């Protein structure tokens, strides 16, 4: 991700050193300090299994010349207990200062209570691209006939849309004021039913859309395997928000990339559907159609760019095709910043049972290692994980659908991955 010049100072600590940046370049020392949030619910279980895997991957790759100096920071229930606050400023500032961090899931109550801490973190740190690669690992049980066809990467806008948190509760003065404004000033008379109403606002900006779509196109340009970028929207209904996302997305493609990017129209009108090897093809699909296309035409899609809510739904649906949320990784990116986190939530009913699959967090760590340029460690981690799954030594979620599997606990699975790296 691009970044303006800055001058990071104060980077040394007694045990490790901070990651800094110079212009567009991330400077990763051999012993970087990496903050992490354990997370709520199953967070403690998956971190206890994943942290040794990260350390073993780095050790395997660099034989002691590199290591991660972990620094725990608090959010969610653990933060409330330790500091009285759910998301202390210190946590946000520590992550901001260290640039690369990882987190487990954080619980968000439905309907009442506090706002999402996950959304707050992404917004406060301006981590505008939630990137979720969905790829199949051999041996994972999947509901699909050809799960290996799934190899997509979702770029989800992370800071706006209905997640911006601009909404008013039914029965409040605020909501009635908004209703009056909408009906009387904006002319939408008799559009909202009488009686209690909740109202939310869905901002989609040109700025937010374009910087996200740029990331998706840049990724495809650098990739040897992902040539198509699909803008996923519901612009047929929400014309000025999701429709605008589509239009601004195409604008970026047409105005900023020259011949490096062509649209699907050009592909068919001028090339009879045969894409040039060195160009990225941008197309768009309506979100409901896309939810079936990922199953019926899985191999035709590569990179998906979309507003926040579509991205949330679609990445879980993609995850189901490669074995479920237990193995679906993700990371949030901003300018010279990365916060890795699994797609799944805190799965509270399994908390403390040492039962769930830590693979999603482990593979989120793989994204973090790649972002740091530690490719060898990222590869070692994937090797260990893939070998363990190949041996049919898996957690409950895979064991229930895999004949002949040996069912492992969360921590046993982590140990097995480490063993398989040696
Ligand atoms: P969830 O925690 O993702 O769990 C839903 C289901 O997915 C689980 O019941 C389980 O299915 C499966 N699953 C999730 N994690 C797994 C793992 N590590 N291994 C194996 N299976 C796993 O979703 P939720 O129950 O809707 O949400 C719980 C809380 O998490 C909510 O407060 C929500 O707001 C929050 N949340 C946080 C984040 C985040 O921190 N980024 C993301 C999503 C949700 P089976 O029971 O069928 O095995």
């Amino acid at each position: 991700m691009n970044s303006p010049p800055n001058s990071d100072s104060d980077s040394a600590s007694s045990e490790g050193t901070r990651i800094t940046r110079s212009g567009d370049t991330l400077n990763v020392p051999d012993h970087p300090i990496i903050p992490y949030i354990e997370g709520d619910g199953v967070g403690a279980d998956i971190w206890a299994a994943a942290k040794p895997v990260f350390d073993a991957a780095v050790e395997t790759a660099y034989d002691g010349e590199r290591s991660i100096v972990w620094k725990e920071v608090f959010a969610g229930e653990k933060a409330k207990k330790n500091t009285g606050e759910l998301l202390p400023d210190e946590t946000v500032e520590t992550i901001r200062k260290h640039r690369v961090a990882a987190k487990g899931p954080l619980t968000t109550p439905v309907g009442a209570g506090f706002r999402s801490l996950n959304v707050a973190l992404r917004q406060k740190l301006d981590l505008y691209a939630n990137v979720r690669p969905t790829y199949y690992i051999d041996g994972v049980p999947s509901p699909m006939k050809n799960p290996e066809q799934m190899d997509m990467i979702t770029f989800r806008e992370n800071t706006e849309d209905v997640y911006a948190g601009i909404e008013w509760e039914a029965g409040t003065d605020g909501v009635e004021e908004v209703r009056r404004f909408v009906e009387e000033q904006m002319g939408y008379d008799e559009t909202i039913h009488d009686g209690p109403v909740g109202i939310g606002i869905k901002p989609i900006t040109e700025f937010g859309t374009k910087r996200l779509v740029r990331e998706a196109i840049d990724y495809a340009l650098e990739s040897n395997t992902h040539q198509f970028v699909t803008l996923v929207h519901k612009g047929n209904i929400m014309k000025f928000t999701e429709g605008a996302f589509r239009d601004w997305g195409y604008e970026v493609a047409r105005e900023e990339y020259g011949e490096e990017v062509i649209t699907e129209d050009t592909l068919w009108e001028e090339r009879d559907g045969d894409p040039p090897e060195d160009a990225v093809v941008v197309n768009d699909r309506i979100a409901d159609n896309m939810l079936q296309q990922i199953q019926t035409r899985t191999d035709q899609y590569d990179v998906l760019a979309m507003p926040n809510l579509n991205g949330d739904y679609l990445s879980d649906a993609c995850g189901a095709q490669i074995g479920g949320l237990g193995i679906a990784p993700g990371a949030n990116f901003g300018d010279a910043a990365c916060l890795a986190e699994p797609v799944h939530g805190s799965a509270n009913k399994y908390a403390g049972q040492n039962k769930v699959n830590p693979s999603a967090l482990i593979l989120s760590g793989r994204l973090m290692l790649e972002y740091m340029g530690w490719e060898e460690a990222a590869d070692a981690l994937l090797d260990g994980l893939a070998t363990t799954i190949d041996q049919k030594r898996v957690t409950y979620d895979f064991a229930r659908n895999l004949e002949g599997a040996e069912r492992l606990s969360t921590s046993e699975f982590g140990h097995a991955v480490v063993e398989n790296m040696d």
Side-chain angles (χ1 to χ4, degrees), residues 100-132:
V100 173
K103 70 177 274 291
L106 293 167
T107 300
T108 309
V110 178
F114 55 87
R115 305 197 67 82
S116 167
L117 304 175
N118 303 301
V119 173
L121 258 173
R122 295 168 193 157
Q123 287 175 342
K124 281 174 191 251
L125 295 165
D126 199 25
L127 299 167
Y128 56 86
N130 183 213
V131 178
R132 294 175 163 180

Short mmCIF file of all heavy atoms in Angstrom, two decimals, residues 100-132:
data_model
loop_
_atom_site.label_atom_id
_atom_site.label_comp_id
_atom_site.label_asym_id
_atom_site.label_seq_id
_atom_site.Cartn_x
_atom_site.Cartn_y
_atom_site.Cartn_z
N VAL A 100 2.43 -2.97 11.93
CA VAL A 100 1.99 -4.33 11.60
C VAL A 100 1.55 -4.99 12.91
O VAL A 100 2.28 -4.95 13.90
CB VAL A 100 3.14 -5.13 10.95
CG1 VAL A 100 2.74 -6.58 10.75
CG2 VAL A 100 3.55 -4.50 9.62
N ALA A 101 0.34 -5.56 12.88
CA ALA A 101 -0.20 -6.17 14.10
C ALA A 101 -1.15 -7.29 13.71
O ALA A 101 -1.45 -7.48 12.53
CB ALA A 101 -0.92 -5.11 14.93
N ALA A 102 -1.60 -8.03 14.72
CA ALA A 102 -2.56 -9.12 14.43
C ALA A 102 -3.57 -9.14 15.56
O ALA A 102 -3.29 -8.71 16.68
CB ALA A 102 -1.83 -10.45 14.35
N LYS A 103 -4.75 -9.64 15.24
CA LYS A 103 -5.78 -9.69 16.27
C LYS A 103 -6.66 -10.93 16.13
O LYS A 103 -6.86 -11.44 15.02
CB LYS A 103 -6.65 -8.43 16.27
CG LYS A 103 -7.56 -8.28 15.07
CD LYS A 103 -8.45 -7.04 15.16
CE LYS A 103 -9.73 -7.27 15.93
NZ LYS A 103 -10.70 -8.15 15.26
N GLY A 104 -7.24 -11.35 17.25
CA GLY A 104 -8.28 -12.36 17.24
C GLY A 104 -9.62 -11.66 17.12
O GLY A 104 -9.70 -10.44 17.01
N PRO A 105 -10.73 -12.43 17.17
CA PRO A 105 -12.05 -11.84 16.99
C PRO A 105 -12.53 -11.07 18.23
O PRO A 105 -12.11 -11.40 19.35
CB PRO A 105 -12.93 -13.07 16.77
CG PRO A 105 -12.22 -14.19 17.47
CD PRO A 105 -10.76 -13.89 17.35
N LEU A 106 -13.36 -10.08 18.02
CA LEU A 106 -13.93 -9.32 19.14
C LEU A 106 -15.45 -9.38 19.05
O LEU A 106 -16.02 -9.17 17.98
CB LEU A 106 -13.44 -7.87 19.10
CG LEU A 106 -11.93 -7.68 19.34
CD1 LEU A 106 -11.48 -6.27 18.98
CD2 LEU A 106 -11.60 -7.98 20.81
N THR A 107 -16.07 -9.65 20.18
CA THR A 107 -17.54 -9.79 20.22
C THR A 107 -18.22 -8.43 20.05
O THR A 107 -17.75 -7.43 20.58
CB THR A 107 -17.95 -10.39 21.58
OG1 THR A 107 -17.34 -11.67 21.70
CG2 THR A 107 -19.45 -10.54 21.70
N THR A 108 -19.33 -8.42 19.30
CA THR A 108 -20.16 -7.22 19.18
C THR A 108 -21.60 -7.60 19.50
O THR A 108 -22.18 -8.46 18.83
CB THR A 108 -20.14 -6.66 17.74
OG1 THR A 108 -18.79 -6.52 17.33
CG2 THR A 108 -20.83 -5.31 17.67
N PRO A 109 -22.20 -6.98 20.52
CA PRO A 109 -23.59 -7.32 20.83
C PRO A 109 -24.55 -6.88 19.71
O PRO A 109 -24.29 -5.89 19.04
CB PRO A 109 -23.88 -6.56 22.12
CG PRO A 109 -22.75 -5.65 22.35
CD PRO A 109 -21.66 -5.95 21.40
N VAL A 110 -25.63 -7.64 19.52
CA VAL A 110 -26.60 -7.31 18.48
C VAL A 110 -27.68 -6.40 19.05
O VAL A 110 -28.19 -6.63 20.14
CB VAL A 110 -27.27 -8.60 17.93
CG1 VAL A 110 -28.32 -8.27 16.88
CG2 VAL A 110 -26.23 -9.54 17.36
N GLY A 111 -28.05 -5.35 18.31
CA GLY A 111 -29.23 -4.56 18.65
C GLY A 111 -29.00 -3.49 19.69
O GLY A 111 -29.60 -2.42 19.61
N ALA A 112 -28.16 -3.74 20.67
CA ALA A 112 -27.93 -2.72 21.71
C ALA A 112 -26.49 -2.84 22.17
O ALA A 112 -25.73 -3.63 21.62
CB ALA A 112 -28.88 -2.97 22.87
N GLY A 113 -26.14 -2.06 23.21
CA GLY A 113 -24.77 -2.14 23.72
C GLY A 113 -23.81 -1.34 22.86
O GLY A 113 -24.21 -0.47 22.11
N PHE A 114 -22.52 -1.70 22.95
CA PHE A 114 -21.50 -0.89 22.30
C PHE A 114 -21.39 -1.18 20.80
O PHE A 114 -21.82 -2.22 20.33
CB PHE A 114 -20.14 -1.09 22.99
CG PHE A 114 -19.70 -2.53 23.07
CD1 PHE A 114 -18.99 -3.12 22.02
CD2 PHE A 114 -19.99 -3.31 24.19
CE1 PHE A 114 -18.57 -4.44 22.09
CE2 PHE A 114 -19.58 -4.65 24.26
CZ PHE A 114 -18.87 -5.20 23.21
N ARG A 115 -20.82 -0.24 20.09
CA ARG A 115 -20.60 -0.39 18.64
C ARG A 115 -19.48 -1.41 18.41
O ARG A 115 -18.72 -1.71 19.31
CB ARG A 115 -20.17 0.95 18.03
CG ARG A 115 -21.10 2.09 18.31
CD ARG A 115 -20.82 3.22 17.35
NE ARG A 115 -21.18 2.79 16.01
CZ ARG A 115 -22.44 2.83 15.55
NH1 ARG A 115 -23.41 3.28 16.29
NH2 ARG A 115 -22.72 2.40 14.35
N SER A 116 -19.34 -1.87 17.17
CA SER A 116 -18.33 -2.89 16.89
C SER A 116 -16.92 -2.35 17.12
O SER A 116 -16.52 -1.32 16.56
CB SER A 116 -18.45 -3.35 15.44
OG SER A 116 -17.29 -4.10 15.09
N LEU A 117 -16.16 -3.07 17.94
CA LEU A 117 -14.77 -2.68 18.19
C LEU A 117 -13.92 -2.94 16.95
O LEU A 117 -12.94 -2.24 16.69
CB LEU A 117 -14.21 -3.47 19.37
CG LEU A 117 -15.01 -3.37 20.68
CD1 LEU A 117 -14.43 -4.30 21.73
CD2 LEU A 117 -15.00 -1.92 21.19
N ASN A 118 -14.30 -3.97 16.19
CA ASN A 118 -13.56 -4.29 14.96
C ASN A 118 -13.67 -3.14 13.97
O ASN A 118 -12.68 -2.70 13.39
CB ASN A 118 -14.13 -5.56 14.32
CG ASN A 118 -14.08 -6.73 15.29
OD1 ASN A 118 -13.02 -7.09 15.75
ND2 ASN A 118 -15.24 -7.28 15.63
N VAL A 119 -14.92 -2.66 13.80
CA VAL A 119 -15.15 -1.55 12.87
C VAL A 119 -14.42 -0.30 13.39
O VAL A 119 -13.76 0.41 12.62
CB VAL A 119 -16.66 -1.29 12.71
CG1 VAL A 119 -16.91 -0.03 11.89
CG2 VAL A 119 -17.35 -2.49 12.06
N ALA A 120 -14.51 -0.07 14.71
CA ALA A 120 -13.87 1.12 15.29
C ALA A 120 -12.36 1.08 15.05
O ALA A 120 -11.75 2.08 14.64
CB ALA A 120 -14.15 1.19 16.78
N LEU A 121 -11.74 -0.08 15.25
CA LEU A 121 -10.29 -0.20 15.04
C LEU A 121 -9.91 0.10 13.59
O LEU A 121 -8.96 0.84 13.31
CB LEU A 121 -9.85 -1.63 15.35
CG LEU A 121 -9.17 -1.90 16.67
CD1 LEU A 121 -8.98 -3.39 16.85
CD2 LEU A 121 -7.83 -1.19 16.77
N ARG A 122 -10.68 -0.51 12.65
CA ARG A 122 -10.37 -0.31 11.24
C ARG A 122 -10.54 1.16 10.86
O ARG A 122 -9.75 1.71 10.09
CB ARG A 122 -11.30 -1.18 10.38
CG ARG A 122 -11.09 -2.67 10.59
CD ARG A 122 -12.20 -3.47 9.95
NE ARG A 122 -12.20 -4.86 10.38
CZ ARG A 122 -13.27 -5.66 10.35
NH1 ARG A 122 -14.43 -5.21 9.89
NH2 ARG A 122 -13.20 -6.90 10.74
N GLN A 123 -11.59 1.81 11.42
CA GLN A 123 -11.82 3.21 11.07
C GLN A 123 -10.76 4.11 11.71
O GLN A 123 -10.20 4.99 11.05
CB GLN A 123 -13.22 3.65 11.50
CG GLN A 123 -14.30 3.07 10.59
CD GLN A 123 -15.71 3.39 11.05
OE1 GLN A 123 -15.93 3.75 12.20
NE2 GLN A 123 -16.67 3.25 10.15
N LYS A 124 -10.48 3.90 12.99
CA LYS A 124 -9.51 4.77 13.68
C LYS A 124 -8.13 4.68 13.04
O LYS A 124 -7.38 5.64 12.99
CB LYS A 124 -9.40 4.38 15.16
CG LYS A 124 -10.53 4.92 16.02
CD LYS A 124 -10.41 4.36 17.43
CE LYS A 124 -11.66 4.66 18.23
NZ LYS A 124 -11.50 5.65 19.27
N LEU A 125 -7.77 3.50 12.57
CA LEU A 125 -6.44 3.30 11.97
C LEU A 125 -6.47 3.51 10.46
O LEU A 125 -5.45 3.37 9.78
CB LEU A 125 -5.92 1.90 12.29
CG LEU A 125 -5.65 1.64 13.78
CD1 LEU A 125 -5.51 0.16 14.07
CD2 LEU A 125 -4.40 2.39 14.24
N ASP A 126 -7.64 3.85 9.93
CA ASP A 126 -7.85 4.04 8.49
C ASP A 126 -7.30 2.84 7.69
O ASP A 126 -6.61 3.00 6.68
CB ASP A 126 -7.22 5.35 7.99
CG ASP A 126 -7.83 5.76 6.64
OD1 ASP A 126 -8.97 5.36 6.35
OD2 ASP A 126 -7.14 6.47 5.88
N LEU A 127 -7.67 1.65 8.15
CA LEU A 127 -7.28 0.42 7.43
C LEU A 127 -8.39 0.17 6.42
O LEU A 127 -9.36 -0.51 6.69
CB LEU A 127 -7.14 -0.72 8.42
CG LEU A 127 -6.07 -0.51 9.50
CD1 LEU A 127 -6.19 -1.51 10.62
CD2 LEU A 127 -4.68 -0.55 8.87
N TYR A 128 -8.24 0.76 5.25
CA TYR A 128 -9.39 0.89 4.36
C TYR A 128 -9.67 -0.32 3.48
O TYR A 128 -10.73 -0.40 2.86
CB TYR A 128 -9.25 2.15 3.50
CG TYR A 128 -7.98 2.24 2.69
CD1 TYR A 128 -7.89 1.65 1.45
CD2 TYR A 128 -6.88 2.95 3.17
CE1 TYR A 128 -6.73 1.75 0.69
CE2 TYR A 128 -5.72 3.05 2.43
CZ TYR A 128 -5.66 2.45 1.20
OH TYR A 128 -4.51 2.54 0.46
N ALA A 129 -8.74 -1.25 3.41
CA ALA A 129 -8.98 -2.43 2.57
C ALA A 129 -8.96 -3.69 3.43
O ALA A 129 -7.95 -4.02 4.03
CB ALA A 129 -7.91 -2.53 1.49
N ASN A 130 -10.09 -4.36 3.50
CA ASN A 130 -10.14 -5.64 4.20
C ASN A 130 -9.95 -6.72 3.12
O ASN A 130 -10.79 -6.89 2.25
CB ASN A 130 -11.50 -5.78 4.90
CG ASN A 130 -11.61 -7.05 5.72
OD1 ASN A 130 -12.67 -7.63 5.85
ND2 ASN A 130 -10.51 -7.50 6.28
N VAL A 131 -8.80 -7.37 3.18
CA VAL A 131 -8.41 -8.29 2.11
C VAL A 131 -8.55 -9.73 2.60
O VAL A 131 -7.98 -10.09 3.64
CB VAL A 131 -6.95 -7.99 1.67
CG1 VAL A 131 -6.50 -8.97 0.60
CG2 VAL A 131 -6.85 -6.56 1.16
N ARG A 132 -9.34 -10.52 1.87
CA ARG A 132 -9.61 -11.89 2.32
C ARG A 132 -9.37 -12.88 1.18
O ARG A 132 -10.22 -13.05 0.32
CB ARG A 132 -11.05 -11.98 2.82
CG ARG A 132 -11.26 -11.15 4.08
CD ARG A 132 -12.70 -11.11 4.56
NE ARG A 132 -12.76 -10.65 5.94
CZ ARG A 132 -13.88 -10.51 6.63
NH1 ARG A 132 -15.04 -10.80 6.08
NH2 ARG A 132 -13.85 -10.10 7.89
#
